[in-house]
Amino acid sequence: MTQQPVFPTVQENIEYMRNALFHTDDLVTQTVVIPGQTSKFIFMNTMCDQSIIREEILKPISENRGGDLEEILISMRSNKHNDLEKAIDLLVSGNAVLFIEGLEECLVIEVKSSHVRSITEPNNEKTVLGSHEGFVENVDINLQLVRKHIANRNLVVKRYTLGNETKIETVIIYLRNIANPKLIEEVDLRIQSIEADTVISSEAIEEYIEESVFSPFPQLLHTERPDRVIGNLLEGRVALFAEGSPTAIIMPVTFFAFYQSPDDYSFRSLQASFFRILRLFSFVIAIGLPAFYIAVVSFHFEVIPQDLLLPIKSGIEYIPFPPILEALFMELTIELLREAGIRLPGPVGQTIGIVGGLVIGDAVVKAGLVSNAMIIVVALTAIASFVVPSHEMSGSVRILRFPVMVAAALFGFIGIVYSLMIIMIHLCSLESFGSPYFSPIAPIHWKDWKDALIRMPHNMKSNQRPHDPDPQQKNMQAQLEKGEKQGDKSEKSN
């Protein structure tokens, strides 16, 4: 963008700004009375707080009688600029600009109007125990929620402006003494390489900076909880916030991070470990159960116990469709009901989900279109997909079960085995900002299992940070002991 120096006359500056903003009707110009000088104040009334302008700017200047005008302007949180183009960008962001006759620079004063909702618990990440704070759509408030718990001089904030037209403010935060400098450099490079007219949320930024856009698995973790961000920062990861979005993006992450819940660290270790393993088992159920049923009914009746064989056979004997069409029909019906429940208003959506599932399930069985066993399989699959704490991973699981079902319908158990092998190979080859996505299983890091697959008691967990973000300080206790030894040496030398 070319620079335009501030003109020496107020009127020229006002005209330039009006022309640059195409004489928009919400651009307001107001004369400010400064003894012996002609000055004008310009701002956008749709973006500025009128009470701040009236009480903190116009009133002190008008009441100034021979006093030091410089001190008054400094108290207004003003900054001097000599580039009109930069001043225009600040103007449309909610700042006011003051021009003084004969002064070849302008004063940009912060008067942005802020409408922020109260801090409440996120609807998507509710917990039984622990903190109930959630992020809001204001970046500064979100940073305050993080800094409140990490009062550390090493917590670094870097700001960016993304979108040639939207100009959304984006920040990354990390602990300088823990996060790997190569990770910070890579994150900074990817964010600065974003060239787009429209960037409206942190979710949009994700697709610009992740490695494999077409992978069914999310490679960045979304969260609305400050405690989850804090825990990941202390492990050497980076968090990203965008103005207007209550969601933080954490990078890099592993597959197992999507099956962890903040409640795991509030419950006792045995309970937390049981629920975490249950969630991981739900991944297998959600992907493989419909395919297993299709393969058994179509090819492998011999694996069914004799007592169950006759009830299942009598249930499917008069169904006019093959099992794959039954499963596809019911799975797509469940997805339609789920989407309808999300899009409709809350009370109506819950009613549609419950009543629709009961009515349709009962009707298709009585009509002889779907067997009773298929209804049970589809219901268990839907429940297993709801167990995932992450909405992004839940969507991935819902998509993946369809190709596995098709493979099972074509090749039976062999198709399921090959499908799961392809999924495992993809998980092992996937990376998140250079970190192995399937760590600590591939590659194997035994000590990381204490907080990845299970949740050991806090006093028995490894002092080492996880390997996947490759932090600078890998062992907190070792770093502490090293510092104490260096302190002892320095005292002895003195």
Side-chain angles (χ1 to χ4, degrees), residues 335-350 352-353 391 398:
E335 293 299 325
L336 287 172
L337 288 172
R338 184 182 306 195
E339 283 298 308
I342 294 173
R343 307 304 165 203
L344 289 171
V348 180
Q350 295 175 6
I352 289 293
H391 181 72
R398 288 155 57 187

Side-chain angles (χ1 to χ4, degrees), residues 302-348:
E302 66 276 5
V303 303
I304 303 176
Q306 191 68 31
D307 294 338
L308 289 177
L309 183 59
L310 290 177
I312 291 177
K313 185 177 180 181
S314 62
I316 65 174
E317 188 174 3
Y318 299 104
I319 303 299
F321 307 112
I324 180 63
L325 292 183
E326 281 186 81
L328 288 175
F329 172 73
M330 289 307 302
E331 291 289 354
L332 290 174
T333 302
I334 292 292
E335 293 299 325
L336 287 172
L337 288 172
R338 184 182 306 195
E339 283 298 308
I342 294 173
R343 307 304 165 203
L344 289 171
V348 180

Side-chain angles (χ1 to χ4, degrees), residues 268-407:
R268 295 176 60 82
S269 61
L270 286 177
Q271 295 170 310
S273 299
F274 172 75
F275 293 133
R276 187 173 290 182
I277 293 171
L278 186 65
R279 293 188 210 110
L280 292 170
F281 186 61
S282 73
F283 173 78
V284 180
I285 294 175
I287 287 182
L289 184 59
F292 179 80
Y293 176 79
I294 292 170
V296 167
V297 172
S298 302
F299 298 99
H300 310 285
F301 262 111
E302 66 276 5
V303 303
I304 303 176
Q306 191 68 31
D307 294 338
L308 289 177
L309 183 59
L310 290 177
I312 291 177
K313 185 177 180 181
S314 62
I316 65 174
E317 188 174 3
Y318 299 104
I319 303 299
F321 307 112
I324 180 63
L325 292 183
E326 281 186 81
L328 288 175
F329 172 73
M330 289 307 302
E331 291 289 354
L332 290 174
T333 302
I334 292 292
E335 293 299 325
L336 287 172
L337 288 172
R338 184 182 306 195
E339 283 298 308
I342 294 173
R343 307 304 165 203
L344 289 171
V348 180
Q350 295 175 6
T351 305
I352 289 293
I354 297 171
V355 175
L358 292 173
V359 171
I360 293 175
D362 183 62
V364 294
V365 170
K366 288 183 177 179
L369 300 177
V370 177
S371 64
N372 287 311
M374 180 59 74
I375 295 292
I376 296 172
V377 168
V378 170
L380 288 175
T381 304
I383 292 171
S385 66
F386 288 137
V387 173
V388 187
S390 169
H391 181 72
E392 295 79 20
M393 183 59 74
S394 176
S396 301
V397 170
R398 288 155 57 187
I399 292 173
L400 281 173
R401 65 170 175 257
F402 289 102
V404 179
M405 286 162 52
V406 173

Side-chain angles (χ1 to χ4, degrees), residues 137-187:
E137 287 76 10
N138 185 285
V139 166
D140 293 329
I141 293 178
N142 295 338
L143 294 176
Q144 180 188 4
L145 291 174
V146 175
R147 279 200 179 272
K148 182 174 68 173
H149 296 281
I150 306 182
N152 192 326
R153 68 177 64 185
N154 291 296
L155 185 63
V156 179
V157 176
K158 295 186 70 174
R159 295 182 182 268
Y160 306 85
T161 301
L162 301 181
N164 297 329
E165 301 296 338
T166 53
K167 299 188 184 301
I168 184 174
E169 182 184 8
T170 305
V171 302
I172 62 169
I173 57 173
Y174 57 92
L175 284 166
R176 187 191 59 82
N177 61 325
I178 298 178
N180 192 317
K182 292 183 179 179
L183 171 62
I184 305 304
E185 183 180 352
E186 182 65 22
V187 173

Side-chain angles (χ1 to χ4, degrees), residues 135 202 221-225 229 239-242 245-250:
F135 291 127
S202 57
L221 178 64
H222 294 251
T223 182
E224 297 182 37
R225 300 187 59 87
V229 170
L240 181 147
F241 295 94
S245 176
T247 303
I249 293 179
I250 297 171

Side-chain angles (χ1 to χ4, degrees), residues 424-443:
M424 291 298 296
I425 291 171
H426 178 69
L427 285 172
C428 293
S429 63
L430 204 58
E431 291 185 346
S432 175
F433 280 86
S435 299
Y437 188 70
F438 212 49
S439 176
I441 290 182

